C-alpha cells in the first residue's frame, strides 16, 4: 500500500510542478513505483515539465467521467519504467472533479504505486481542496519572499483545519549570496515563522529553466545544484537521514570560464 | 551597513524588514483564518471577568487592532456592576497580611 503526498503552496509560481516532477523522478530512480497526478485542471503543466506532453490520450476528467479506465490514462515515463503521469484535463475547469472523486482515485492509485504525488494548483479554492482530498502527507513549497511565506502559512492553517498533520517545508530558489548580505530570509528565519519541519532547500539554479525547456527533470543532471538538492529530498522522503547540502559553493573558476566560452554543461 | 552604502544613501539589509512585516501580517491572518478563535477567547474572558464584575456580554467587543509596527488585542467590555463581596474579601486579605 503506497503513500499519497500532495505538493502545494498557496502562491503560484514558487515551484510546485518542478518539485513534483523532480521528487517523483528521484523516487523512481531509486526503484519505487511512482505516479504523478496533475490536479491543476485547466492549466496543466506537469506533462510539459516531464516532457510527456505528446503522449497524452486520456486525462483525469476522462477517468472520473468513466470515458476510460484509470490504466488507460496513465502515461509511462520515457526514462523510468515505474514512473507514470496522470495528466490534468486542459479544456475543463476545477469543478470537473470533486474532492470525493479525487479521494477515490488516490485510493485506487495507492494500491498499485509506492508513491502517489499530487501536484496541486495555486490558490485555496476547489482545485486545492481536490488536491489535498486523498493525501496523507503534504509538502509545502515556498520561496524566501514575504508573499510566498504568507500564503504558505495560510495553507498550513487550512491543512491543519482539515486534520492533515505535520506538513513539511521545501524552501525553493534560495539565493545564498543574497542571504549572506542580509537581503533574503534565511532557512532559520522561515522555519521560525512557519513552525513546521524542513524537508529541504533548493538553491536558485538557472539549470531549472534549461531542464524545463527540454522536458527533463533537473534531478537527472548530476551537475545541477538544484538537481542534487532534489535528490537529497527524495532520499529523505524514503526515510534516509541526509544532511542539508552546503549552499555557499560558488562556481569554480574553470566552470565560470566554461560558461563564458559557452561550453558549460549547465 | 558599510560605509560605501552609507555614502550612497542606500538602506540596510532588507531581510529584517521582511521578517517584521511578515510577523505582523501573520498575526492578522492566523486569527482571521478561524473566526471561532476570537469567539472562544471572548467566552473565556467573560468567564474570568464575571467572577469580579457583572458585565454586559451582549455588547462586549473583542478585536485585533493594528498600527504601523504592532498588533493589539482590544477588548471593550461594558461593566454593569462590580461585585461587592469580592472587594470585601480582598480587603480582609490585605489586613491579615503581616507587616
Amino acid at each position: 500500500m503506497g503513500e499519497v503526498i500532495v505538493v502545494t503552496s498557496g502562491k503560484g509560481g514558487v515551484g510546485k510542478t518542478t518539485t513534483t516532477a523532480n521528487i517523483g523522478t528521484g523516487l523512481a530512480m531509486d526503484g519505487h513505483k511512482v505516479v504523478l497526478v496533475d490536479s491543476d485542471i485547466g492549466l496543466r503543466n506537469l506533462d510539459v515539465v516531464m516532457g510527456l506532453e505528446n503522449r497524452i490520450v486520456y486525462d483525469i476528467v476522462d477517468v472520473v467521467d468513466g470515458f476510460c479506465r484509470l490504466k488507460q490514462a496513465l502515461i509511462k515515463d520515457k526514462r523510468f519504467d515505474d514512473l507514470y503521469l496522470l495528466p490534468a484535463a486542459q479544456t475543463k475547469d476545477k469543478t470537473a472533479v470533486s474532492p470525493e472523486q479525487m479521494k477515490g482515485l488516490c485510493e485506487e492509485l495507492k494500491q498499485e504505486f509506492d508513491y502517489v504525488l499530487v501536484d496541486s494548483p495555486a490558490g485555496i479554492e476547489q482545485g486545492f481542496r481536490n488536491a489535498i482530498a486523498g493525501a496523507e502527507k503534504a509538502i509545502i513549497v515556498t520561496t524566501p519572499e514575504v508573499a510566498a511565506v504568507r500564503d504558505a502559512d495560510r495553507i498550513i492553517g487550512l491543512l491543519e483545519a482539515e486534520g492533515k498533520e505535520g506538513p513539511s517545508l521545501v524552501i525553493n530558489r534560495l539565493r545564498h549570496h543574497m542571504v549572506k548580505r542580509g537581503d533574503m530570509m534565511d532557512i532559520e528565519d522561515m522555519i521560525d515563522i512557519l513552525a513546521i519541519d524542513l524537508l529541504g532547500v533548493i538553491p536558485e539554479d538557472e539549470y531549472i529553466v534549461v531542464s524545463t525547456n527540454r522536458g527533463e527533470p533537473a534531478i537527472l543532471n548530476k551537475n545541477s545544484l538544484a538537481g542534487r538538492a532534489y535528490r537529497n529530498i527524495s532520499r529523505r522522503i524514503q526515510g534516509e537521514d541526509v544532511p542539508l547540502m552546503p549552499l555557499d559553493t560558488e562556481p569554480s573558476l574553470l566552470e565560470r570560464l566554461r560558461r563564458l566560452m559557452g561550453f558549460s554543461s549547465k | 551597513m558599510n560605509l560605501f552604502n552609507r555614502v550612497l544613501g542606500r538602506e540596510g539589509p532588507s531581510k529584517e524588514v521582511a521578517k517584521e512585516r511578515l510577523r505582523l501580517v501573520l498575526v492578522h491572518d492566523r486569527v482571521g483564518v478561524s473566526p471561532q478563535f476570537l469567539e472562544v477567547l471572548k467566552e473565556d474572558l467573560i468567564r474570568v471577568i464575571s467572577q469580579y464584575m457583572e458585565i454586559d456580554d451582549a455588547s462586549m467587543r473583542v478585536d485585533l487592532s493594528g498600527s504601523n509596527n504592532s498588533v493589539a488585542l482590544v477588548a471593550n467590555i461594558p461593566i454593569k456592576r462590580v461585585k461587592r463581596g469580592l472587594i470585601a474579601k480582598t480587603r480582609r486579605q490585605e489586613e491579615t497580611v503581616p507587616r
Side-chain angles (χ1 to χ4, degrees):
Chain A
M1 185 80 122
E3 193 171 27
V4 185
I5 305 172
V6 61
V7 180
T8 184
S9 69
K11 190 174 176 303
V14 296
K16 285 178 296 297
T17 303
T18 307
T19 299
T20 308
N22 278 285
I23 294 178
T25 305
L27 292 168
M29 281 164 90
D30 288 327
H32 294 288
K33 282 200 83 175
V34 181
V35 61
L36 311 176
V37 180
D38 191 347
S39 72
D40 200 348
I41 298 168
L43 289 169
R44 81 171 166 219
N45 274 324
L46 190 52
D47 54 335
V48 286
V49 173
M50 291 296 293
L52 299 171
E53 67 275 18
N54 291 331
R55 306 184 178 198
I56 296 175
V57 183
Y58 298 110
D59 58 50
I60 193 167
V61 176
D62 294 326
V63 177
V64 300
D65 285 349
F67 285 129
C68 70
R69 282 175 294 115
L70 178 55
K71 282 220 169 107
Q72 289 176 292
L74 293 178
I75 301 159
K76 197 167 160 228
D77 183 64
K78 295 174 188 170
R79 296 139 292 220
F80 297 97
D81 286 342
D82 280 337
L83 179 57
Y84 287 84
L85 168 73
L86 178 58
Q90 182 69 337
T91 51
K92 313 273 176 24
D93 67 65
K94 314 283 181 205
T95 56
V97 177
S98 72
E100 288 69 34
Q101 287 169 323
M102 198 63 192
K103 217 168 167 175
L105 207 59
C106 289
E107 277 302 317
E108 210 177 327
L109 286 169
K110 78 185 195 190
Q111 308 296 327
E112 281 287 313
F113 294 91
D114 301 326
Y115 292 98
V116 181
L117 294 187
V118 184
D119 183 20
S120 150
I124 54 172
E125 292 81 25
Q126 194 182 337
F128 165 73
R129 299 274 163 205
N130 284 346
I132 65 166
E136 290 121 25
K137 279 190 188 170
I139 294 173
I140 317 276
V141 183
T142 189
T143 57
E145 288 152 73
V146 177
V149 175
R150 182 195 198 175
D151 289 2
D153 188 82
R154 185 83 207 274
I155 291 291
I156 294 166
L158 290 172
L159 286 168
E160 253 171 30
E162 289 287 322
K164 314 248 179 221
E165 276 175 39
S168 54
L169 186 69
V170 169
I171 299 174
N172 196 15
R173 308 192 68 170
L174 192 83
R175 273 164 271 188
H176 183 72
H177 63 279
M178 289 190 75
V179 172
K180 233 162 69 182
R181 67 162 193 254
D183 274 333
M184 182 171 268
M185 282 185 280
D186 200 357
I187 302 165
E188 288 82 53
D189 298 329
M190 300 175 71
I191 295 295
D192 186 44
I193 291 167
L194 293 173
I196 63 170
D197 292 334
L198 182 68
L199 181 62
V201 180
I202 314 295
E204 173 79 25
D205 183 354
E206 286 185 0
Y207 185 73
I208 290 291
V209 179
V210 177
S211 82
T212 313
N213 287 347
R214 296 197 176 128
E216 290 165 4
I219 197 167
L220 296 166
N221 182 344
K222 288 195 186 83
N223 294 319
S224 156
L225 213 56
R228 290 213 299 272
Y230 276 124
R231 188 93 188 89
N232 289 345
I233 288 180
S234 81
R235 284 162 66 193
R236 287 185 199 115
I237 290 173
Q238 297 168 66
E240 245 184 275
D241 190 15
V242 187
L244 283 183
M245 67 182 208
L247 296 172
D248 49 0
T249 46
E250 295 291 318
S252 67
L253 189 65
L254 188 69
E255 180 60 29
R256 265 184 287 177
L257 206 66
R258 273 206 208 127
R259 279 189 204 169
L260 209 64
M261 297 167 69
F263 292 130
S264 175
S265 56
K266 288 185 148 197
Chain B
M1 200 179 358
N2 61 33
L3 190 68
F4 184 67
N5 281 345
R6 216 174 290 175
V7 171
L8 288 175
R10 284 193 211 146
E11 286 176 65
S14 58
K15 162 182 129 164
E16 296 307 322
V17 183
K19 276 163 67 182
E20 185 58 19
R21 290 178 60 221
L22 255 176
R23 193 180 62 76
L24 295 175
V25 88
L26 289 188
V27 170
H28 279 282
D29 284 2
R30 284 183 187 171
V31 172
V33 164
S34 116
Q36 296 95 354
F37 182 93
L38 283 179
E39 268 315 300
V40 173
L41 175 70
K42 192 171 150 185
E43 276 162 28
D44 269 2
L45 279 175
I46 292 173
R47 199 167 40 76
V48 172
I49 294 168
S50 299
Q51 293 171 17
Y52 300 84
M53 46 191 78
E54 223 171 87
I55 55 175
D56 179 10
D57 43 301
S59 51
M60 165 179 176
R61 286 179 55 89
V62 178
D63 281 309
L64 283 188
S65 118
S67 63
N68 279 339
N69 53 6
S70 70
V71 182
L73 181 70
V74 179
N76 193 329
I77 310 168
I79 302 169
K80 281 182 181 164
R81 199 161 59 91
V82 177
K83 292 186 179 173
R84 192 177 289 281
L86 204 81
I87 293 173
K89 199 174 143 199
T90 49
R91 236 180 235 151
R92 269 201 304 278
Q93 266 171 3
E94 270 168 29
E95 280 160 10
T96 53
V97 171
R99 309 271 151 125

